[in-house]
Amino acid sequence: MTKLYKAFSAVTALLLLYGFCQAWYIAPTEATMGNVQRIFYYHLPSAWVAFLLFFVNFLASAWYLIRRTDGADALALAAAEVGVSFCTIVLITGPIWARPIWGIWWTWDARLTSTLVLWLIYVSYLVLRHYATGGQVPVLAAALGIFGFVDVPIVYMAIRWFRTQHPQPVIGGGQGSGLDHTMWVAVLWNLAAFAMLAVLFVWARYRQALAERALEEAYIQAEGEAQ
């Protein structure tokens, strides 16, 4: 597993480097927005990866409620932690782009607000997991993870359902949704790199969570034998 992880890490590092080159040196400068548009190559892949990780949390949480397996619980926790990290990138890069384009850092439109709500839901999930005590915490967290995923399609569809300042979808039509072919190549390379980076983080955190659980069980057993 260590050799496989190292090999996967090396491939991920190469992808991240190539994605950086695609975003900053190969993709053309957008005619209207200029170089600030290049943050799009990190903003959009981060959003897609965050959605994917929250979906993994949703599936693992549902499986935990059905089977009560440690593996499902550990995977749900790992996916939520890494998903919040990528969602944080989305919330940081969005205002960096918005300030020179819109003239403001933030506006309470449907897409931005629903994304912030999504982030807050999963931060609450992590607070529950790390600071609450009691045997029912994993069950409550699983229920919260399932509930939280309901906001993902709302975030995705917000610019279709409501009038927002957010740009129209780059997939599925809408004015201004078209991208130069070279720009799409840069998007997809960075998406692949970010997805592999997410897999690495989830993989490491999943194994750590299982190890922590085994250590806790061993400690409880040792205390019981000592008594």
Side-chain angles (χ1 to χ4, degrees):
M1 291 296 290
T2 302
K3 290 182 179 178
L4 180 59
Y5 191 86
K6 287 181 179 179
F8 203 88
S9 299
V11 173
T12 301
L14 291 174
L15 273 177
L16 287 168
L17 179 61
Y18 189 66
F20 176 83
C21 293
Q22 283 282 340
W24 289 95
Y25 299 108
I26 299 176
T29 301
E30 207 276 333
T32 303
M33 293 180 282
N35 280 323
V36 71
Q37 180 270 344
R38 296 184 188 279
I39 204 167
F40 172 85
Y41 303 119
Y42 301 97
H43 181 75
L44 179 59
S46 295
W48 286 350
V49 170
F51 290 166
L52 177 61
L53 290 168
F54 293 147
F55 181 60
V56 172
N57 173 271
F58 169 80
L59 293 178
S61 296
W63 188 249
Y64 177 76
L65 291 179
I66 295 170
R67 291 291 187 176
R68 295 292 200 277
T69 63
D70 288 346
D73 187 46
L75 180 59
L77 175 60
E81 288 181 346
V82 182
V84 166
S85 299
F86 278 94
C87 195
T88 302
I89 295 173
V90 174
L91 290 172
I92 292 173
T93 54
I96 292 174
W97 173 87
R99 183 65 178 87
I101 302 303
W102 293 345
I104 54 175
W105 292 100
W106 182 268
T107 182
W108 294 97
D109 80 348
R111 168 58 73 86
L112 277 67
T113 303
S114 58
T115 303
L116 178 60
V117 169
L118 181 68
W119 182 83
L120 289 172
I121 289 172
Y122 281 96
V123 167
S124 300
Y125 173 96
L126 297 182
V127 170
L128 176 64
R129 290 304 307 262
H130 290 291
Y131 296 103
T133 57
Q136 292 301 309
V137 169
V139 175
L140 295 174
L144 180 58
I146 293 171
F147 167 77
F149 185 74
V150 173
D151 193 34
V152 170
I154 295 175
V155 173
Y156 181 76
M157 296 300 295
I159 51 180
R160 295 170 172 84
W161 291 343
F162 309 101
R163 294 182 61 184
T164 71
Q165 268 189 266
H166 193 280
Q168 290 299 306
V170 295
I171 293 180
Q175 185 179 3
S177 64
L179 286 178
D180 178 276
H181 172 72
T182 311
M183 293 178 176
W184 262 119
V185 171
V187 168
L188 295 176
W189 275 111
N190 278 285
L191 176 59
F194 277 33
M196 290 189 69
L197 184 64
V199 170
L200 277 177
F201 287 159
V202 170
W203 186 354
R205 186 64 185 96
Y206 170 77
R207 290 174 61 83
Q208 182 185 18
L210 288 180
E212 289 172 351
R213 198 175 303 267
L215 185 61
E216 288 175 1
E217 291 175 355
Y219 179 75
I220 292 171
Q221 184 178 357
E223 275 194 333
E225 292 174 354
Q227 294 174 356

